[in-house]
Amino acid sequence: MNARSRFARGRIARRSPADIATMRRAGRVVAEMHAEIRLQLRPGVTTAQLDQIGRDVLERRGATSNFLNYHGFPAVICTSVNEQVVHGIPGSLVLHEGDVVSIDCGAIIDGWHGDAAFTAGVGTISAEAQRLIEVTDEALAAAVEQMVAGKTLGDVGYAVEQVAKRSRLGVVDGYCGHGIGRAMHEDPDVLNTGRPGKGLRLEVGNVLAIEPMLSLSGEEDTIQLADGWTVLMADGSLSAHSEHTVAVTDNGPEILTRA
Ligand code: MG
Ligand code: MG
């Protein structure tokens, strides 16, 4: 979860190897939430049941939620279905065959945060929906590759944008990734667009949450539901969202939100 807020100036926080080790532990809890929820993504399940799976993993691992009570958010995961892009609230909604669901969640261990999201289909989904999910994952992978000392935030955003454009998908406007560490959302904003070589320069120890949000129609505009949270495509287009927390290390990019 995150809304584009501001452009950061200066430098991106650098984390010590010990700090990154703790973030890796938080990231592994997030990965475990993803894995368990993914197994239960089937017709008939409610989004509240998926949230409970997330709560169970957090409790089992001695982690706390950075989503619960965030500006009043009432759950430990966001569940955004079909034309919903991000920030959907789990509840009595029943998932059906063919739905496309984004699951976004995070965890805190010893004060350090992890944050990641994936999109998957419920049962059999359309070929177009499958393509949307695959390209969104591909955009994230391309951006992760740019997480190398000496590259820039512009390189990261450009990587997402190029993958989306090549497949004629829209880059959702107004939402983006972010710095992450002692808080879930820190400077800088990590945009899903950019110019190569422009913007803040990456250094070893930087940790960013990168999260492309793409639409099937090419639409970029969103609207927000009256619940104050759920963001959906203005034209009702199918959308997908994929996110990892990624560190810049001496050995290149390291995805921290991985099992
Ligand atoms: Mg997230
Ligand atoms: Mg995030």
Side-chain angles (χ1 to χ4, degrees):
M1 52 163 63
N2 64 299
R4 178 173 165 179
S5 52
R6 61 212 174 272
F7 288 97
R9 302 174 208 293
R11 296 173 69 179
I12 307 169
R14 296 180 69 177
R15 313 301 181 184
S16 71
D19 296 341
I20 290 177
T22 311
M23 293 186 78
R24 192 180 292 119
R25 287 168 54 210
R28 284 185 180 148
V29 175
V30 178
E32 191 172 338
M33 294 167 82
H34 280 195
E36 296 213 356
I37 290 169
R38 198 185 272 274
L39 285 175
Q40 300 304 325
L41 272 183
R42 55 175 73 131
V45 74
T46 67
T47 51
Q49 286 174 302
L50 301 178
D51 183 63
Q52 187 58 51
I53 295 167
R55 289 173 192 257
D56 292 345
V57 173
L58 287 165
E59 188 180 350
R60 188 194 315 146
R61 294 300 173 197
T64 53
S65 174
N66 36 16
F67 279 46
L68 185 65
N69 299 324
Y70 180 88
H71 296 283
F73 192 77
V76 304
I77 70 173
C78 294
T79 50
S80 307
V81 183
N82 296 330
E83 74 280 7
Q84 297 176 355
V85 186
V86 285
H87 306 171
I89 302 171
S92 56
L93 180 76
V94 176
L95 296 182
H96 296 286
E97 180 93 15
D99 282 343
V100 170
V101 188
S102 152
I103 303 292
D104 190 357
C105 59
I108 309 169
I109 292 274
D110 291 344
W112 291 93
H113 290 243
D115 179 16
F118 70 93
T119 298
V122 178
T124 304
I125 60 174
S126 69
E128 282 290 83
Q130 191 59 46
R131 181 177 75 94
L132 171 68
I133 293 170
E134 285 169 10
V135 175
T136 305
D137 287 341
E138 189 188 328
L140 175 58
V144 168
E145 272 182 38
Q146 301 301 311
M147 288 288 284
V148 171
K151 297 270 192 179
T152 68
L153 282 185
D155 293 322
V156 173
Y158 181 76
V160 171
E161 195 176 4
Q162 288 307 108
V163 171
K165 278 188 175 162
R166 202 192 306 141
S167 297
R168 297 203 164 77
L169 300 181
V171 176
V172 173
D173 192 29
Y175 297 87
C176 60
H178 47 92
I180 180 167
R182 284 287 197 179
M184 176 162 61
H185 293 150
E186 299 188 357
D187 282 339
D189 284 349
V190 180
L191 304 189
N192 291 317
T193 58
R195 287 160 61 200
K198 300 292 182 185
L200 294 176
R201 201 159 286 281
L202 299 173
E203 300 175 291
V204 169
N206 293 159
V207 183
L208 302 175
I210 303 171
E211 47 184 313
M213 288 153 264
L214 305 184
S215 76
L216 190 56
S217 67
E219 171 74 50
E220 297 177 357
D221 293 337
T222 61
I223 54 174
Q224 193 176 51
L225 287 186
D227 65 16
W229 283 103
T230 313
V231 175
L232 52 162
M233 296 309 303
D235 69 348
S237 170
L238 213 54
S239 64
H241 173 213
S242 191
E243 176 182 24
H244 272 306
T245 297
V246 186
V248 178
T249 78
D250 285 319
N251 303 315
E254 181 187 348
I255 295 174
L256 301 179
T257 38
R258 191 137 77 178

